[in-house]
Amino acid sequence: MTNDSGLGFGLLGTGLIAPFHAKAIRAARGARLVGVADTDAARLAKFTAEFDVPGYFTLEQMLADPAIQVVNILTPNHLHTEAVVQAARAGKHILVEKPPAMSLREVDTMAATCAEAGVKIGVVLQCRTRRSVQAIRTALQQERFGKVYQADAIMKWFRSANYYRQDAWRTSRRSGAGVTIQQAFHYLDLLQYLVGPAKSVHAQMTNLAHPGIALEDTALAFVTYQNGAQGVVEASTALWPGTDVRIEVNGENGTAIVVGERMDTWKFKDDRPEDEEIRHLGSAAVATGATGAADLGFLDHQAVIEDMVHAVADGREPMITLASVRPTLEWALAMYQSAKQGTSVELPILDEDDVW
Ligand SMILES: NC(=O)c1ccc[n+]([C@@H]2O[C@H](COP(=O)([O-])OP(=O)(O)OC[C@H]3O[C@@H](n4cnc5c(N)ncnc54)[C@H](O)[C@@H]3O)[C@@H](O)[C@H]2O)c1
C-alpha cells in the first residue's frame, strides 16, 4: 500500500498533539491524512496551511467525507466521549488520545457504541509500543522475573506556567489537566500493562510550583498490585528542568529499569545470549516529554497508526484496546479519590462520582 491509497485518517483537534499525529500518519506505511477539524478557525487555518490538508469546522462536516475511515480524537480529555460516540455512529474507526475519558462510565459507553457500530477503537498510549517496554513484557510473560516484588514510576518533569495558561481546559481538574491523569497516565498505564491492575492506592497531591492554577502538579502514591507486588509513583510537572521518566520492575530473579525510552538496567539470574542486545534498546537522545509538551518524537505515534492500519486490514483488534486501558483509568481515579479522602482506596472504586 502506498501513502496515496492508504487508510484515510482525519484528525479532530489541531492543537498541541495534532502535528505529531499528522507527521506520524505521513510517515506511516498504509496511512494517509485526508482531513482535519477544529472549531478554532485560526488554529485550523494554520494547520491546514502547514500540512496542506482539507479543514472542517465541525466533526460532523469531517465525518461526511467518505475518504475518512479513521478519526483520531485529539480534543481536550473531557470532550473525548461525545466525539467518539459521534464518529462511531458514522461508521468510522477511532484512535482516541489518552486518557480515553474522564470516567469509567464514559469508557463503557464508548466501548458499547463502538461494538454496536462494528468499528474499532484504539487508545493512543504510545509508550506501550517502545521496544524496551515490550522486552519487559515478554520477560514477564516468560516468568523470568520470578515473583514480582516492586514496580515503580518516577516522573520528575517540568511544565511552565505558560503551558497551563494557553488553553482554559489546562487549568481544570475535571477536564483532566492534573499531572496524574494527564502526564502520568502514560506511566500508570505502563505499570498496569506490565505488572497488572492496582488493588489499592494511597495518594497525596500537591501544587508545588504553579500558584494560581487549581490543579495538582505533583502526586505521590503507594500502590499494591493485584498480584501482591508493591510500588511507588512519583509524578510531577514542577521539577525544573525535567528529567527522563524512570520505570522499574524488580522481581526475585531479575530487575529491569527503563529511563525515557532507553533500557538502563537489564539483569537476570538466568542471563541469556539475547540479553546483550536488549541492554542496548532505545536511545537517550529520543525526547520523551520531560522538559515540555513539544519535547517529543513522533515514532511511537507512528507505531500506533501502523497498528491501526494492520488491525483494519487483518480484521483484528488494535494493540491498545479500550478494555486494556480501563484499569489504568480506574487507578488514576482511585488516586484522586485517595488524595481527596486522605485514606487508602481499594479497587474497584465504589463511587466514581466522588473523585474530584
Ligand atoms: N499521547 C501523548 O503523548 C499526548 C501528548 C499531549 C496531549 N495528548 C492528548 O491529546 C489531546 C489533546 O491535547 P492537546 O494538548 O493537543 O490539546 P489542545 O488544547 O492543544 O488542542 C485541542 C484542540 O481541540 C480543539 N477542539 C476542542 N473542542 C472541539 C470540538 N468540539 N470540535 C473540534 N475541535 C475542538 C481545540 O480548539 C484545540 O485546538 C488530549 O487528550 C491530551 O491528553 C497526548
Side-chain angles (χ1 to χ4, degrees):
M1 252 192 287
T2 71
N3 272 6
D4 292 334
S5 63
L7 193 67
F9 284 77
L11 308 183
L12 180 71
T14 58
L16 210 147
I17 199 61
F20 295 86
H21 281 255
K23 288 174 193 168
I25 292 165
R26 290 258 158 100
R29 285 166 157 238
R32 64 195 176 111
L33 181 63
V34 288
V36 297
D38 202 304
T39 43
D40 182 320
R43 278 192 183 172
L44 183 66
K46 187 167 174 285
F47 199 90
T48 52
E50 185 180 344
F51 288 96
D52 189 22
V53 61
Y56 304 92
F57 291 114
T58 67
L59 174 59
E60 204 167 23
Q61 288 168 4
M62 188 167 75
L63 292 176
D65 181 351
I68 289 178
Q69 293 156 289
V70 184
V71 178
N72 296 14
I73 310 290
L74 318 181
T75 48
N77 300 332
H78 63 297
L79 301 176
H80 290 175
T81 309
E82 197 184 329
V84 166
V85 166
Q86 208 179 330
R89 287 190 178 144
K92 313 290 184 182
H93 303 298
I94 293 158
L95 278 174
V96 60
E97 265 292 354
K98 46 50 61 174
M102 291 301 295
S103 72
L104 300 171
R105 206 165 34 233
E106 287 176 310
V107 166
D108 296 340
T109 299
M110 287 180 180
T113 310
C114 290
E116 205 172 293
V119 300
K120 299 182 189 308
I121 179 164
V123 186
V124 186
L125 280 160
Q126 73 275 8
C127 303
R128 287 196 194 185
T129 69
R130 291 178 183 159
R131 292 181 67 201
S132 50
V133 170
Q134 286 301 318
I136 297 177
R137 185 159 159 97
T138 302
L140 284 161
Q141 284 166 344
Q142 294 171 341
E143 299 184 355
R144 288 191 71 193
F145 285 88
K147 190 170 166 46
V148 177
Y149 291 138
Q150 292 194 344
D152 314 306
I154 316 292
M155 192 201 91
K156 297 193 176 194
W157 280 10
F158 181 72
R159 293 291 182 269
S160 66
N162 283 345
Y163 162 83
Y164 285 103
R165 295 222 173 86
Q166 64 188 317
D167 296 285
W169 76 272
R170 290 187 200 283
T171 56
S172 158
R173 261 193 167 184
R174 282 176 185 272
S175 301
V179 66
T180 311
I181 199 159
Q182 177 60 345
Q183 289 85 8
F185 197 85
H186 281 294
Y187 307 111
L188 299 181
D189 183 68
L190 286 189
L191 294 175
Q192 190 271 123
Y193 176 60
L194 294 170
V195 178
K199 179 169 169 285
S200 72
V201 296
H202 193 140
Q204 274 186 9
M205 297 183 182
T206 43
N207 183 321
L208 293 179
H210 297 94
I213 294 169
L215 288 175
E216 89 284 7
D217 66 12
T218 301
L220 303 179
F222 290 104
V223 55
T224 305
Y225 295 87
Q226 278 181 13
N227 68 5
Q230 299 174 319
V232 295
V233 174
E234 290 183 51
S236 184
T237 55
L239 305 176
W240 188 88
T243 49
D244 283 340
V245 63
R246 190 177 171 93
I247 302 291
E248 301 205 6
V249 179
N250 311 101
E252 61 182 330
N253 297 323
T255 281
I257 302 174
V258 172
V259 177
E261 60 125 48
R262 175 182 67 83
M263 191 65 82
D264 176 86
T265 302
W266 182 261
K267 213 163 166 62
F268 289 91
K269 286 180 185 168
D270 74 325
D271 195 50
R272 296 181 184 176
E274 65 263 30
D275 287 344
E276 190 46 26
E277 190 187 337
I278 294 173
R279 276 185 201 105
H280 293 96
L281 288 178
S283 160
V286 175
T288 53
T291 64
D295 174 32
L296 197 66
F298 67 82
L299 284 179
D300 296 335
H301 275 86
Q302 187 181 331
V304 172
I305 302 285
E306 287 178 348
D307 174 69
M308 179 55 100
V309 170
H310 290 299
V312 171
D314 301 345
R316 62 158 171 85
E317 285 298 302
M319 173 189 168
I320 308 164
T321 62
L322 205 48
S324 76
V325 177
R326 194 181 187 282
T328 305
L329 180 62
E330 184 158 32
W331 176 344
L333 295 175
M335 280 178 63
Y336 282 101
Q337 199 167 62
S338 169
K340 181 181 174 191
Q341 296 174 353
T343 58
S344 292
V345 167
E346 300 284 322
L347 284 79
I349 55 175
L350 296 177
D351 180 4
E352 68 165 342
D353 293 320
D354 182 28
V355 164
W356 303 111

